[in-house]
Amino acid sequence: MPWPDEIRDPSSLAPEAAESDEDVGAQALIDSMSRDGIEDAEFAVDRYTEALEQVIEAKLEHRAPSVAPAAAEPTGRGLDLMAALEESVAKAKASRGERGDADVHELPKKKAAARKTAKETAVRKTAAKKAATKRGA
């Protein structure tokens, strides 16, 4: 517990109010990243929320919600990734001079190790201990 003369006034511990260059730069960065003034930009439009609000209003007025416009058909041709991969593999094999057909052989199956019973293991351990004690004596 401090003595009365050791207690300091808390106002002396408060930081000084000074605006540094760092504070000004941070405020400028925050202002530049804020969304104010970009409502007219295409990426700032929230179409999902607008559509949801229309559905809620329609349900409140007890009428059917408007039908969403059909999605635009994607332009351009689709890409079959598997066909492109097969074509790429065929080109790589041709450049290395490999034939397309290969002989496939099955690997021989490994034999499972014979399992010892717990009794056999215990007998071997006790026999080994007895032999060790006889040698050491």
Side-chain angles (χ1 to χ4, degrees), residues 51-117:
L52 186 61
E53 288 173 353
Q54 289 176 358
V55 169
I56 292 171
E57 288 174 9
K59 286 189 176 189
L60 287 174
E61 296 171 0
H62 300 291
R63 61 180 171 85
S66 61
V67 178
E73 290 294 322
T75 58
R77 63 170 225 240
L79 179 64
D80 184 9
L81 293 178
M82 197 62 189
L85 177 63
E86 289 172 355
E87 182 181 339
S88 172
V89 169
K91 284 181 183 178
K93 284 183 177 181
S95 69
R96 290 191 301 249
E98 294 181 19
R99 293 184 294 141
D101 54 340
D103 296 330
V104 179
H105 303 284
E106 288 190 29
L107 296 174
K109 297 191 180 203
K110 294 182 179 179
K111 294 181 180 178
R115 294 188 178 204
K116 310 267 187 218
T117 62

Side-chain angles (χ1 to χ4, degrees), residues 9-92:
D9 184 27
S11 62
S12 66
L13 300 175
E16 296 179 19
E19 195 166 302
S20 68
D21 292 338
E22 214 172 89
D23 294 338
V24 173
Q27 189 61 42
L29 179 65
I30 291 170
D31 291 339
S32 70
M33 295 178 73
S34 67
R35 294 188 59 168
D36 297 335
I38 60 170
E39 285 79 23
D40 57 335
E42 180 66 28
F43 64 88
V45 177
D46 187 5
R47 289 185 177 81
Y48 177 78
T49 304
E50 290 174 358
L52 186 61
E53 288 173 353
Q54 289 176 358
V55 169
I56 292 171
E57 288 174 9
K59 286 189 176 189
L60 287 174
E61 296 171 0
H62 300 291
R63 61 180 171 85
S66 61
V67 178
E73 290 294 322
T75 58
R77 63 170 225 240
L79 179 64
D80 184 9
L81 293 178
M82 197 62 189
L85 177 63
E86 289 172 355
E87 182 181 339
S88 172
V89 169
K91 284 181 183 178

